[in-house]
mmCIF file with all atom_site columns, all heavy atoms in Angstrom:
data_model
loop_
_atom_site.group_PDB
_atom_site.id
_atom_site.type_symbol
_atom_site.label_atom_id
_atom_site.label_alt_id
_atom_site.label_comp_id
_atom_site.label_asym_id
_atom_site.label_entity_id
_atom_site.label_seq_id
_atom_site.pdbx_PDB_ins_code
_atom_site.Cartn_x
_atom_site.Cartn_y
_atom_site.Cartn_z
_atom_site.occupancy
_atom_site.B_iso_or_equiv
_atom_site.pdbx_formal_charge
_atom_site.auth_seq_id
_atom_site.auth_comp_id
_atom_site.auth_asym_id
_atom_site.auth_atom_id
_atom_site.pdbx_PDB_model_num
ATOM 1   N N   . ASP A 1 317 ? -63.059 -50.382 121.371 1.00 69.00 ? 317 ASP A N   1
ATOM 2   C CA  . ASP A 1 317 ? -62.415 -49.081 121.379 1.00 69.00 ? 317 ASP A CA  1
ATOM 3   C C   . ASP A 1 317 ? -62.847 -48.419 120.070 1.00 69.00 ? 317 ASP A C   1
ATOM 4   O O   . ASP A 1 317 ? -62.320 -48.713 119.005 1.00 69.00 ? 317 ASP A O   1
ATOM 5   C CB  . ASP A 1 317 ? -60.896 -49.280 121.444 1.00 69.00 ? 317 ASP A CB  1
ATOM 6   C CG  . ASP A 1 317 ? -60.128 -47.973 121.304 1.00 69.00 ? 317 ASP A CG  1
ATOM 7   O OD1 . ASP A 1 317 ? -60.739 -46.962 120.898 1.00 69.00 ? 317 ASP A OD1 1
ATOM 8   O OD2 . ASP A 1 317 ? -58.933 -47.968 121.606 1.00 69.00 ? 317 ASP A OD2 1
ATOM 9   N N   . ILE A 1 318 ? -63.851 -47.545 120.189 1.00 69.00 ? 318 ILE A N   1
ATOM 10  C CA  . ILE A 1 318 ? -64.498 -47.009 118.989 1.00 69.00 ? 318 ILE A CA  1
ATOM 11  C C   . ILE A 1 318 ? -63.495 -46.350 118.041 1.00 69.00 ? 318 ILE A C   1
ATOM 12  O O   . ILE A 1 318 ? -63.518 -46.562 116.837 1.00 69.00 ? 318 ILE A O   1
ATOM 13  C CB  . ILE A 1 318 ? -65.598 -45.980 119.366 1.00 69.00 ? 318 ILE A CB  1
ATOM 14  C CG1 . ILE A 1 318 ? -66.689 -46.659 120.199 1.00 69.00 ? 318 ILE A CG1 1
ATOM 15  C CG2 . ILE A 1 318 ? -66.196 -45.336 118.132 1.00 69.00 ? 318 ILE A CG2 1
ATOM 16  C CD1 . ILE A 1 318 ? -67.457 -47.756 119.496 1.00 69.00 ? 318 ILE A CD1 1
ATOM 17  N N   . GLU A 1 319 ? -62.578 -45.603 118.633 1.00 68.00 ? 319 GLU A N   1
ATOM 18  C CA  . GLU A 1 319 ? -61.598 -44.903 117.810 1.00 68.00 ? 319 GLU A CA  1
ATOM 19  C C   . GLU A 1 319 ? -60.749 -45.894 117.003 1.00 68.00 ? 319 GLU A C   1
ATOM 20  O O   . GLU A 1 319 ? -60.564 -45.766 115.807 1.00 68.00 ? 319 GLU A O   1
ATOM 21  C CB  . GLU A 1 319 ? -60.696 -44.061 118.716 1.00 68.00 ? 319 GLU A CB  1
ATOM 22  C CG  . GLU A 1 319 ? -60.016 -42.921 117.999 1.00 68.00 ? 319 GLU A CG  1
ATOM 23  C CD  . GLU A 1 319 ? -59.224 -42.075 118.991 1.00 68.00 ? 319 GLU A CD  1
ATOM 24  O OE1 . GLU A 1 319 ? -59.705 -41.914 120.140 1.00 68.00 ? 319 GLU A OE1 1
ATOM 25  O OE2 . GLU A 1 319 ? -58.141 -41.627 118.627 1.00 68.00 ? 319 GLU A OE2 1
ATOM 26  N N   . TYR A 1 320 ? -60.277 -46.939 117.719 1.00 68.00 ? 320 TYR A N   1
ATOM 27  C CA  . TYR A 1 320 ? -59.451 -47.947 117.058 1.00 68.00 ? 320 TYR A CA  1
ATOM 28  C C   . TYR A 1 320 ? -60.244 -48.682 115.985 1.00 68.00 ? 320 TYR A C   1
ATOM 29  O O   . TYR A 1 320 ? -59.781 -48.893 114.875 1.00 68.00 ? 320 TYR A O   1
ATOM 30  C CB  . TYR A 1 320 ? -58.916 -48.941 118.092 1.00 68.00 ? 320 TYR A CB  1
ATOM 31  C CG  . TYR A 1 320 ? -58.132 -50.077 117.472 1.00 68.00 ? 320 TYR A CG  1
ATOM 32  C CD1 . TYR A 1 320 ? -56.782 -49.901 117.150 1.00 68.00 ? 320 TYR A CD1 1
ATOM 33  C CD2 . TYR A 1 320 ? -58.731 -51.297 117.202 1.00 68.00 ? 320 TYR A CD2 1
ATOM 34  C CE1 . TYR A 1 320 ? -56.069 -50.918 116.556 1.00 68.00 ? 320 TYR A CE1 1
ATOM 35  C CE2 . TYR A 1 320 ? -58.026 -52.322 116.607 1.00 68.00 ? 320 TYR A CE2 1
ATOM 36  C CZ  . TYR A 1 320 ? -56.692 -52.131 116.283 1.00 68.00 ? 320 TYR A CZ  1
ATOM 37  O OH  . TYR A 1 320 ? -55.993 -53.142 115.689 1.00 68.00 ? 320 TYR A OH  1
ATOM 38  N N   . GLU A 1 321 ? -61.480 -49.003 116.331 1.00 72.00 ? 321 GLU A N   1
ATOM 39  C CA  . GLU A 1 321 ? -62.305 -49.751 115.385 1.00 72.00 ? 321 GLU A CA  1
ATOM 40  C C   . GLU A 1 321 ? -62.576 -48.949 114.113 1.00 72.00 ? 321 GLU A C   1
ATOM 41  O O   . GLU A 1 321 ? -62.531 -49.502 113.022 1.00 72.00 ? 321 GLU A O   1
ATOM 42  C CB  . GLU A 1 321 ? -63.642 -50.148 116.030 1.00 72.00 ? 321 GLU A CB  1
ATOM 43  C CG  . GLU A 1 321 ? -63.513 -51.103 117.200 1.00 72.00 ? 321 GLU A CG  1
ATOM 44  C CD  . GLU A 1 321 ? -62.784 -52.405 116.875 1.00 72.00 ? 321 GLU A CD  1
ATOM 45  O OE1 . GLU A 1 321 ? -62.958 -52.923 115.746 1.00 72.00 ? 321 GLU A OE1 1
ATOM 46  O OE2 . GLU A 1 321 ? -62.034 -52.891 117.732 1.00 72.00 ? 321 GLU A OE2 1
ATOM 47  N N   . SER A 1 322 ? -62.838 -47.651 114.267 1.00 72.00 ? 322 SER A N   1
ATOM 48  C CA  . SER A 1 322 ? -63.133 -46.883 113.057 1.00 72.00 ? 322 SER A CA  1
ATOM 49  C C   . SER A 1 322 ? -61.875 -46.688 112.217 1.00 72.00 ? 322 SER A C   1
ATOM 50  O O   . SER A 1 322 ? -61.933 -46.721 111.005 1.00 72.00 ? 322 SER A O   1
ATOM 51  C CB  . SER A 1 322 ? -63.806 -45.547 113.383 1.00 72.00 ? 322 SER A CB  1
ATOM 52  O OG  . SER A 1 322 ? -63.383 -45.063 114.610 1.00 72.00 ? 322 SER A OG  1
ATOM 53  N N   . LYS A 1 323 ? -60.734 -46.558 112.882 1.00 70.00 ? 323 LYS A N   1
ATOM 54  C CA  . LYS A 1 323 ? -59.488 -46.425 112.141 1.00 70.00 ? 323 LYS A CA  1
ATOM 55  C C   . LYS A 1 323 ? -59.214 -47.713 111.349 1.00 70.00 ? 323 LYS A C   1
ATOM 56  O O   . LYS A 1 323 ? -58.848 -47.674 110.181 1.00 70.00 ? 323 LYS A O   1
ATOM 57  C CB  . LYS A 1 323 ? -58.325 -46.142 113.105 1.00 70.00 ? 323 LYS A CB  1
ATOM 58  C CG  . LYS A 1 323 ? -57.058 -45.805 112.381 1.00 70.00 ? 323 LYS A CG  1
ATOM 59  C CD  . LYS A 1 323 ? -55.891 -45.587 113.335 1.00 70.00 ? 323 LYS A CD  1
ATOM 60  C CE  . LYS A 1 323 ? -54.572 -45.501 112.576 1.00 70.00 ? 323 LYS A CE  1
ATOM 61  N NZ  . LYS A 1 323 ? -54.297 -46.691 111.758 1.00 70.00 ? 323 LYS A NZ  1
ATOM 62  N N   . THR A 1 324 ? -59.427 -48.854 112.012 1.00 68.00 ? 324 THR A N   1
ATOM 63  C CA  . THR A 1 324 ? -59.224 -50.142 111.340 1.00 68.00 ? 324 THR A CA  1
ATOM 64  C C   . THR A 1 324 ? -60.132 -50.260 110.129 1.00 68.00 ? 324 THR A C   1
ATOM 65  O O   . THR A 1 324 ? -59.730 -50.715 109.071 1.00 68.00 ? 324 THR A O   1
ATOM 66  C CB  . THR A 1 324 ? -59.531 -51.299 112.314 1.00 68.00 ? 324 THR A CB  1
ATOM 67  O OG1 . THR A 1 324 ? -58.814 -51.062 113.524 1.00 68.00 ? 324 THR A OG1 1
ATOM 68  C CG2 . THR A 1 324 ? -59.110 -52.637 111.733 1.00 68.00 ? 324 THR A CG2 1
ATOM 69  N N   . LEU A 1 325 ? -61.358 -49.797 110.309 1.00 70.00 ? 325 LEU A N   1
ATOM 70  C CA  . LEU A 1 325 ? -62.328 -49.873 109.219 1.00 70.00 ? 325 LEU A CA  1
ATOM 71  C C   . LEU A 1 325 ? -61.884 -49.020 108.038 1.00 70.00 ? 325 LEU A C   1
ATOM 72  O O   . LEU A 1 325 ? -61.937 -49.440 106.885 1.00 70.00 ? 325 LEU A O   1
ATOM 73  C CB  . LEU A 1 325 ? -63.706 -49.426 109.726 1.00 70.00 ? 325 LEU A CB  1
ATOM 74  C CG  . LEU A 1 325 ? -64.848 -49.590 108.733 1.00 70.00 ? 325 LEU A CG  1
ATOM 75  C CD1 . LEU A 1 325 ? -65.066 -51.065 108.398 1.00 70.00 ? 325 LEU A CD1 1
ATOM 76  C CD2 . LEU A 1 325 ? -66.134 -49.000 109.295 1.00 70.00 ? 325 LEU A CD2 1
ATOM 77  N N   . ILE A 1 326 ? -61.394 -47.810 108.368 1.00 72.00 ? 326 ILE A N   1
ATOM 78  C CA  . ILE A 1 326 ? -60.924 -46.906 107.308 1.00 72.00 ? 326 ILE A CA  1
ATOM 79  C C   . ILE A 1 326 ? -59.741 -47.545 106.575 1.00 72.00 ? 326 ILE A C   1
ATOM 80  O O   . ILE A 1 326 ? -59.676 -47.555 105.349 1.00 72.00 ? 326 ILE A O   1
ATOM 81  C CB  . ILE A 1 326 ? -60.530 -45.531 107.906 1.00 72.00 ? 326 ILE A CB  1
ATOM 82  C CG1 . ILE A 1 326 ? -61.812 -44.817 108.362 1.00 72.00 ? 326 ILE A CG1 1
ATOM 83  C CG2 . ILE A 1 326 ? -59.783 -44.680 106.886 1.00 72.00 ? 326 ILE A CG2 1
ATOM 84  C CD1 . ILE A 1 326 ? -61.576 -43.647 109.282 1.00 72.00 ? 326 ILE A CD1 1
ATOM 85  N N   . ASP A 1 327 ? -58.807 -48.143 107.356 1.00 69.00 ? 327 ASP A N   1
ATOM 86  C CA  . ASP A 1 327 ? -57.652 -48.819 106.741 1.00 69.00 ? 327 ASP A CA  1
ATOM 87  C C   . ASP A 1 327 ? -58.130 -49.914 105.790 1.00 69.00 ? 327 ASP A C   1
ATOM 88  O O   . ASP A 1 327 ? -57.588 -50.091 104.700 1.00 69.00 ? 327 ASP A O   1
ATOM 89  C CB  . ASP A 1 327 ? -56.761 -49.463 107.815 1.00 69.00 ? 327 ASP A CB  1
ATOM 90  C CG  . ASP A 1 327 ? -56.010 -48.409 108.609 1.00 69.00 ? 327 ASP A CG  1
ATOM 91  O OD1 . ASP A 1 327 ? -56.013 -47.248 108.159 1.00 69.00 ? 327 ASP A OD1 1
ATOM 92  O OD2 . ASP A 1 327 ? -55.436 -48.758 109.648 1.00 69.00 ? 327 ASP A OD2 1
ATOM 93  N N   . GLU A 1 328 ? -59.124 -50.636 106.247 1.00 67.00 ? 328 GLU A N   1
ATOM 94  C CA  . GLU A 1 328 ? -59.632 -51.748 105.445 1.00 67.00 ? 328 GLU A CA  1
ATOM 95  C C   . GLU A 1 328 ? -60.241 -51.265 104.142 1.00 67.00 ? 328 GLU A C   1
ATOM 96  O O   . GLU A 1 328 ? -59.986 -51.810 103.081 1.00 67.00 ? 328 GLU A O   1
ATOM 97  C CB  . GLU A 1 328 ? -60.729 -52.475 106.234 1.00 67.00 ? 328 GLU A CB  1
ATOM 98  C CG  . GLU A 1 328 ? -60.300 -53.838 106.731 1.00 67.00 ? 328 GLU A CG  1
ATOM 99  C CD  . GLU A 1 328 ? -61.353 -54.389 107.662 1.00 67.00 ? 328 GLU A CD  1
ATOM 100 O OE1 . GLU A 1 328 ? -62.509 -54.481 107.239 1.00 67.00 ? 328 GLU A OE1 1
ATOM 101 O OE2 . GLU A 1 328 ? -61.012 -54.693 108.816 1.00 67.00 ? 328 GLU A OE2 1
ATOM 102 N N   . ILE A 1 329 ? -61.062 -50.202 104.284 1.00 70.00 ? 329 ILE A N   1
ATOM 103 C CA  . ILE A 1 329 ? -61.721 -49.665 103.101 1.00 70.00 ? 329 ILE A CA  1
ATOM 104 C C   . ILE A 1 329 ? -60.681 -49.148 102.111 1.00 70.00 ? 329 ILE A C   1
ATOM 105 O O   . ILE A 1 329 ? -60.746 -49.445 100.916 1.00 70.00 ? 329 ILE A O   1
ATOM 106 C CB  . ILE A 1 329 ? -62.716 -48.530 103.490 1.00 70.00 ? 329 ILE A CB  1
ATOM 107 C CG1 . ILE A 1 329 ? -63.865 -49.139 104.287 1.00 70.00 ? 329 ILE A CG1 1
ATOM 108 C CG2 . ILE A 1 329 ? -63.244 -47.826 102.249 1.00 70.00 ? 329 ILE A CG2 1
ATOM 109 C CD1 . ILE A 1 329 ? -64.724 -48.128 104.988 1.00 70.00 ? 329 ILE A CD1 1
#
Side-chain angles (χ1 to χ4, degrees):
D317 174 346
I318 298 297
E319 202 176 324
Y320 176 83
E321 296 303 324
S322 31
K323 188 183 170 303
T324 310
L325 186 64
I326 290 165
D327 289 348
E328 251 172 56
I329 293 167

